[in-house]
Amino acid sequence: MRRRWPLAVLLLSVQAVVVFRTSGLTDAGWVWPLSAAYATLAADDRPGRRPGLPWAAGIGLAELAFAATWDTTAGGATPREGLGSLGAEALWLAVLLAAATAHRNRLRWRAERDERLLRAARERDLEAGRRIAEARLDIARELHDVVGHTLTVVGIQLRVAAEALDDSPQEARAALTTAQQVRTEAVRDLRALVHVLRAPGEAPQDPAAGVPDIAALIDRMRSAELDIRLETAGDLAAVPAPVSLAVHRIVQEALTNTVRHAAASRADVTVRLVDGRVEVSVTDDGRTVAQTSEAVGHGVRGMDERVRALGGDFSAGPQDKGDGWLVRAAIPVPGLHP
């Protein structure tokens, strides 16, 4: 009962002690018998209730004042005797309330510490979940780009080889060699991705593709049906690896979409390092309806995510004038200023 209704129990207990003392049934003291009730009320600090310490201190002082008056009048004790008798009880009351307050503060500190630990654990779980989601997104994006590009280029070269097999065996052999090179590079990229998954803290042994590899990428994707032209400007060798990889993947995915969806005859690729940022644009003269309905999916979303993650701007859509599709990105380069 004292834990559930500590104030009521203390008041009833004080009345009982007053009755016993004034009736001469005991002389055990005024405060000593109520130690548990005083301590429980002083330590009570439950939510939605008033703090118990002020109530315990007020009731204790009122009881000691009544005891002093009773002892010096009806009890026949001198003021010095009453002061000596009640002084010890007042000191005990102060020690009791201080100990109860310390115990309450310790419990409150432990509760706050547990809450902080629980909140920190939840934040760590949320952060771990966020990192896992980002890692899964990166893996999905890399797999989409590598596999989609590889299948597209290999398909182009196999078609060229099939068409030239009878009339020009050398051209067919060159197309098959290019397909083999693309397959080897795809295996390298996938091996690097698996290495990152198995050993996140270690750098892959094979360097990732970047801006210097765009020319070779265009040579592999150029065919009799699609003429691809490349224009570069600025010191692209100074572009850091993350930005260089993003630029390479953007050009790769944009050209892959052009080959797969646009039925274009020409594509223009521009990569420039100006004003402290890399500007990339890929345009073609193909259909826009097919690209709008089919290509705008994981590929375009993946390019946008890459650029946004590096603090850049991205857009993809039909060209303003004439037929064709335009992919444009601008990525800031840390450390380079206009």
Side-chain angles (χ1 to χ4, degrees):
M1 291 180 64
R2 68 183 174 85
R3 290 189 178 93
R4 188 168 183 179
W5 300 292
L7 178 59
V9 168
L10 179 59
L11 291 174
L12 291 175
S13 301
V14 168
Q15 293 180 13
V17 168
V18 169
V19 170
F20 271 72
R21 288 299 303 265
T22 56
S23 302
L25 299 178
T26 182
D27 57 355
W30 296 89
V31 175
W32 313 103
L34 310 179
S35 297
Y38 273 115
T40 303
L41 180 59
D44 184 47
D45 191 26
R46 286 173 287 180
R49 305 182 62 156
R50 295 181 180 179
L53 179 61
W55 286 97
I59 294 173
L61 292 176
E63 184 183 14
L64 289 176
F66 176 83
T69 303
W70 176 264
D71 288 345
T72 55
T73 55
T78 63
R80 177 173 294 182
E81 293 175 347
L83 182 62
S85 156
L86 296 177
E89 295 209 58
L91 180 61
W92 171 249
L93 177 63
V95 171
L96 189 66
L97 297 182
T101 302
H103 177 68
R104 181 200 62 190
N105 292 339
R106 180 173 176 273
L107 293 179
R108 182 186 301 172
W109 172 80
R110 289 179 58 183
E112 293 177 353
R113 182 198 61 183
D114 294 342
E115 178 65 22
R116 287 196 302 269
L117 293 176
L118 181 60
R119 185 165 56 250
R122 291 175 178 173
E123 291 177 354
R124 287 194 300 268
D125 292 341
L126 291 175
E127 180 66 17
R130 184 186 64 81
R131 291 182 178 179
I132 291 174
E134 291 180 353
R136 292 178 60 185
L137 182 61
D138 291 340
I139 294 169
R141 190 163 51 227
E142 289 293 331
L143 286 176
H144 176 275
D145 293 347
V146 172
V147 174
H149 168 72
T150 303
L151 293 178
T152 300
V153 175
V154 169
I156 293 174
Q157 300 303 327
L158 290 179
R159 185 174 67 249
V160 171
E163 294 174 353
L165 186 59
D166 296 330
D167 300 334
S168 180
Q170 293 182 352
E171 183 179 355
R173 187 178 297 109
L176 292 176
T177 301
T178 302
Q180 180 67 19
Q181 292 175 352
V182 173
R183 196 246 359 144
T184 302
E185 293 180 2
V187 171
R188 181 199 64 184
D189 292 340
L190 293 176
R191 185 182 296 115
L193 181 60
V194 172
H195 180 83
V196 171
L197 293 176
R198 294 177 64 89
E202 301 178 6
Q205 297 178 355
D206 298 327
V211 174
D213 303 308
I214 291 179
L217 168 69
I218 291 176
D219 290 339
R220 291 194 302 268
M221 301 193 69
R222 186 181 289 116
S223 64
E225 294 82 10
L226 178 63
D227 180 26
I228 306 177
R229 300 182 182 182
L230 173 63
E231 178 184 350
T232 60
D235 185 13
L236 297 176
V239 177
V243 178
S244 182
L245 174 61
V247 171
H248 184 275
R249 294 303 190 202
I250 290 170
V251 174
Q252 182 185 71
E253 181 61 26
L255 291 178
T256 300
N257 287 338
T258 297
V259 173
R260 295 175 60 185
H261 305 291
S265 60
R266 176 175 173 175
D268 295 310
V269 178
T270 303
V271 181
R272 302 187 306 165
L273 178 60
V274 292
D275 296 334
R277 64 180 185 174
V278 178
E279 296 180 352
V280 185
S281 66
V282 181
T283 60
D284 62 56
D285 59 354
R287 299 190 305 266
T288 59
V289 176
Q291 285 185 323
T292 303
S293 60
E294 299 176 14
V296 180
H298 297 293
V300 174
R301 185 163 57 248
M303 289 188 286
D304 181 69
E305 290 170 351
R306 286 182 185 276
V307 175
R308 302 296 179 188
L310 295 172
D313 299 321
F314 175 83
S315 63
Q319 297 193 60
D320 295 336
K321 298 180 179 180
D323 295 333
W325 192 262
L326 169 63
V327 174
R328 180 180 295 163
I331 307 175
V333 179
L336 294 182
H337 303 283

